[in-house]
């Protein structure tokens, strides 16, 4: 199968959102352009007009599914809701803020569809990753690279990016992984658990840009530092979970 011929048929894309009304139209449209036949689940936990905007888009495209995440407890919780609702067995997550590029989704999904890996990770830190549209934030970049090294040490497998918002997996793998975190640490928990279970994990290079609208869940350096410490603690706990 070549990237050009791939339509996304048989795949579900989960977009977790919290107050992304400014970006959501462009985001869903870009996923639809990249994958004309994929199911797109927008799992919204915010308080703005995101769900109304997606519901309007769904009128002309029944494969777009707006889902209100009642009692939203964070991105991990939204992704769990998306997995439970998804109709297909090959699933990817994609961020609403377009820091990642939907044009990378076919390359992310294909190794999973081909059975080459159970979990495919879109890495921002491989030599071929493109960061032209990204204005570096030194502390965050350092933290993300540190977390990748820590995960590599914990698992015995070299990982280049563990906090990335672009991942794809099989339903069978994610059910085995059985991640527990409802907030953001689930991103790393998935990877640590996958290695713990002996699943095949692959990194592919992706494009990464800065956010142009809306607000990051990690605004401010104090928040970033706290998030880093929480991720470290939860990654170690995931490594030793039986
Ligand atoms: N449902 C839900 N989605 C969230 C939550 N926090 C973040 N997101 C979404 O998760 C994705 C990544 O979040 P973002 O704030 O960009 O994280 P960052 O890139 O690490 O700064 C975006 O699509 C957000 O809208 C949350 O509490 N609930
Ligand atoms: Mg982001």
């Amino acid at each position: 199968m070549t990237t050009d011929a791939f339509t996304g048929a048989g795949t579900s894309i989960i977009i977790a959102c919290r107050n992304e009304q400014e970006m959501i139209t462009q985001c869903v449209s870009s996923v639809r352009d990249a994958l004309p036949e994929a199911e797109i689940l927008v799992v919204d936990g915010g308080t703005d007009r995101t769900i109304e905007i997606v519901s309007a888009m769904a009128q002309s495209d029944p494969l777009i599914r707006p889902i209100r995440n009642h009692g939203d407890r964070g991105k991990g919780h939204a992704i769990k809701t998306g997995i439970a609702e998804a109709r297909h067995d090959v699933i990817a997550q994609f961020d609403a803020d377009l820091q990642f590029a939907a044009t990378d989704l076919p390359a992310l999904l294909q190794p999973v569809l081909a059975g080459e890996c159970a979990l495919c990770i879109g890495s921002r830190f491989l030599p071929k990753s493109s960061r032209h549209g990204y204005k570096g934030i030194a502390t965050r970049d350092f933290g993300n690279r540190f977390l990748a090294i820590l995960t590599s040490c914990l698992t015995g497998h070299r990982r280049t990016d563990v906090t990335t918002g672009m991942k794809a997996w099989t339903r069978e793998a994610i059910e085995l992984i059985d991640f527990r975190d409802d907030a953001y640490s689930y991103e790393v928990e998935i990877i640590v658990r996958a290695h713990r279970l002996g699943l095949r994990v692959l990194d592919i290079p992706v494009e990464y840009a800065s956010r142009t609208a809306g607000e990051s869940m990690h605004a401010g350096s104090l928040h970033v530092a706290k998030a880093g410490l929480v991720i470290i603690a939860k990654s170690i706990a995931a490594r030793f979970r039986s």
Side-chain angles (χ1 to χ4, degrees):
M1 203 188 316
T2 67
T3 302
D4 287 346
F6 183 55
T7 63
T11 67
S12 298
I13 315 301
I14 303 172
I15 304 171
C17 294
R18 192 187 56 187
N19 300 340
E20 300 284 6
Q21 63 183 16
E22 282 142 79
M23 296 306 286
I24 198 65
T25 305
Q26 201 187 332
C27 173
V28 173
S29 304
S30 71
V31 174
R32 174 53 73 236
D33 289 347
L35 300 169
E37 294 184 69
E39 177 187 42
I40 302 173
L41 302 104
V42 179
V43 186
D44 178 47
T47 50
D48 69 357
R49 293 193 60 254
T50 301
I51 202 85
E52 282 96 326
I53 295 168
V54 179
S55 300
M57 294 178 91
Q59 299 285 315
S60 56
D61 183 340
L63 292 182
I64 296 175
R65 298 181 53 206
I67 297 167
R68 187 90 192 100
N69 196 29
H70 296 289
D72 185 272
R73 295 193 294 273
K75 186 181 176 190
H77 181 225
I79 295 295
K80 264 184 223 163
T81 300
I83 293 166
E85 291 281 342
R87 296 188 176 126
H88 299 297
D89 291 336
V90 171
I91 300 168
Q93 62 171 50
F94 185 70
D95 284 355
D97 58 358
L98 287 179
Q99 286 199 265
F100 296 92
T103 45
D104 283 327
L105 281 168
L108 185 82
L109 287 159
Q110 281 186 17
V112 182
L113 276 163
E116 289 164 24
C117 62
L119 172 63
C120 189
I121 302 172
S123 173
R124 299 164 288 183
F125 301 118
L126 282 167
K128 286 191 176 160
S129 307
S130 161
R131 292 157 65 87
H132 294 305
Y134 178 65
K135 275 199 219 119
I137 307 173
T139 43
R140 268 194 86 160
D141 287 346
F142 173 81
N144 284 328
R145 285 179 194 270
F146 172 78
L147 290 169
I149 293 168
L150 175 77
T151 305
S152 305
C153 295
L154 284 174
T155 62
H157 294 266
R158 183 169 177 265
R159 296 273 61 94
T160 59
D161 190 0
V162 289
T163 45
T164 171
M166 245 185 131
K167 297 185 178 81
W169 53 74
T170 61
R171 182 180 297 281
E172 191 186 6
I174 206 74
E175 284 177 2
L176 278 171
I177 287 168
D178 182 27
F179 65 93
R180 305 277 166 91
D181 191 75
D182 280 334
Y184 43 81
S185 303
Y186 86 98
E187 299 271 23
V188 186
E189 186 188 359
I190 286 177
I191 297 169
V192 172
R193 291 276 304 149
H195 283 305
R196 194 86 175 102
L197 292 158
L199 302 174
R200 281 201 69 188
V201 182
L202 188 73
D203 280 5
I204 64 148
V206 294
E207 208 177 310
Y208 190 59
S210 293
R211 205 183 234 283
T212 56
E215 196 175 303
S216 164
M217 62 174 153
H218 299 120
S221 28
L222 203 67
H223 197 281
V224 170
K226 191 179 155 216
L229 290 174
V230 172
I231 292 174
I232 291 170
K234 295 206 170 176
S235 306
I236 294 169
R239 164 65 182 80
F240 292 102
R241 190 179 131 199
S242 53

